[in-house]
Amino acid sequence: MSTPSAIRKVYQGAADRHQMFRMFDRHAQRPNRFEGDASALYAGEWFEITEREHDYMFEILPPLWIRGSMFAMREFLTGSVTSVFFALRIDGVIRFFHGYCDLSDGASVEDMRLAIIERETRPVRAMTRDERLEHIWSATADTYRGYADETTPQYLPCQRVITLFSNAGSARLKLLDDLTDDEIAAKLPVQLRHLPDTAVAA
């Protein structure tokens, strides 16, 4: 399975509570979920949330630590990766974010904070191709996304696949990374379909 490690935005817009909890484990369907260390798969993922969800998560359990406008969850997702929540002033407005940081790397939290600020001070109404694909993955119901296995021999095991529907209503699987621009546009909500592309990934 691909194990990305770069800091990356995985959802466009502020997630509500339902979507936030879904994205806490975007890779729950991966094969052999409870085998091996999945830290690199999660570390670096981030998305925006509302103030209400930020405060809700702060009150669930005593944080592992609080540093200024940031706090970390006491319960680790996998290995040394845990949720870190940020309240950041961007263009004069306080906004709220969730990110997965690998606390074995002492610089991971600050790197995440700076990456979010850098990304969100760019034109908000723009997305990279990778951001489009990650948004599609985050927003698609589990029924219509998954991982290649022995039933999809045309793909390597553990690659992410997504269901596409024809105009006639027939369904087929396609690699997420291989979606065409038209297929990506069809999978995105209307307000995101025609955003300009940005050259640098989040």
Side-chain angles (χ1 to χ4, degrees):
M1 177 184 295
S2 174
T3 54
S5 58
I7 297 174
R8 57 210 178 274
K9 184 176 185 178
V10 297
Y11 188 78
Q12 186 77 12
D16 61 20
R17 187 166 304 178
H18 172 74
Q19 188 64 31
M20 176 181 74
F21 277 103
R22 285 192 72 241
M23 288 194 293
F24 281 163
D25 199 352
R26 298 169 70 240
H27 309 289
Q29 294 172 290
R30 68 188 186 278
N32 306 315
R33 179 181 179 188
F34 299 105
E35 297 177 13
D37 183 2
S39 295
L41 189 60
Y42 292 91
E45 293 188 342
W46 67 268
F47 56 89
E48 188 169 359
I49 58 176
T50 68
E51 181 178 8
R52 178 171 176 257
E53 313 321 326
H54 171 275
D55 294 349
Y56 174 81
M57 295 306 297
F58 181 76
E59 294 168 0
I60 284 182
L61 291 171
L64 178 66
W65 51 251
I66 301 172
R67 298 176 186 168
S69 61
M70 306 179 292
F71 70 91
M73 292 297 286
R74 183 172 299 277
E75 293 184 350
F76 285 75
L77 174 72
T78 179
S80 53
V81 174
T82 193
S83 294
V84 177
F85 293 84
F86 303 82
L88 303 175
R89 183 177 295 276
I90 298 174
D91 295 331
V93 177
I94 301 296
R95 294 167 59 187
F96 303 88
F97 302 89
H98 166 272
Y100 276 127
C101 297
D102 186 344
L103 300 188
S104 68
D105 176 358
S108 66
V109 175
E110 181 62 9
D111 288 347
M112 174 74 75
R113 187 185 72 83
L114 293 175
I116 293 172
I117 292 172
E118 192 277 332
R119 171 60 183 89
E120 293 305 295
T121 52
R122 292 188 232 155
V124 174
R125 304 304 294 173
M127 296 174 74
T128 66
R129 174 181 169 84
D130 285 345
E131 287 173 352
R132 287 174 164 87
L133 293 176
E134 293 303 337
H135 181 92
I136 289 169
W137 184 258
S138 294
T140 299
D142 289 349
T143 305
Y144 304 109
R145 68 180 186 184
Y147 292 84
D149 57 21
E150 65 276 1
T151 67
T152 51
Q154 68 270 39
Y155 303 130
L156 294 174
C158 301
Q159 289 183 302
R160 291 189 294 179
V161 293
I162 200 149
T163 304
L164 297 179
F165 293 93
S166 70
N167 290 334
S170 61
R172 64 187 175 92
L173 292 178
K174 186 169 183 178
L175 285 181
L176 179 70
D177 289 340
D178 286 351
L179 294 182
T180 66
D181 290 345
D182 287 343
E183 289 166 343
I184 289 171
K187 283 286 187 183
L188 289 172
V190 173
Q191 70 271 21
L192 300 181
R193 288 179 184 173
H194 304 295
L195 294 183
D197 193 13
T198 54
V200 180

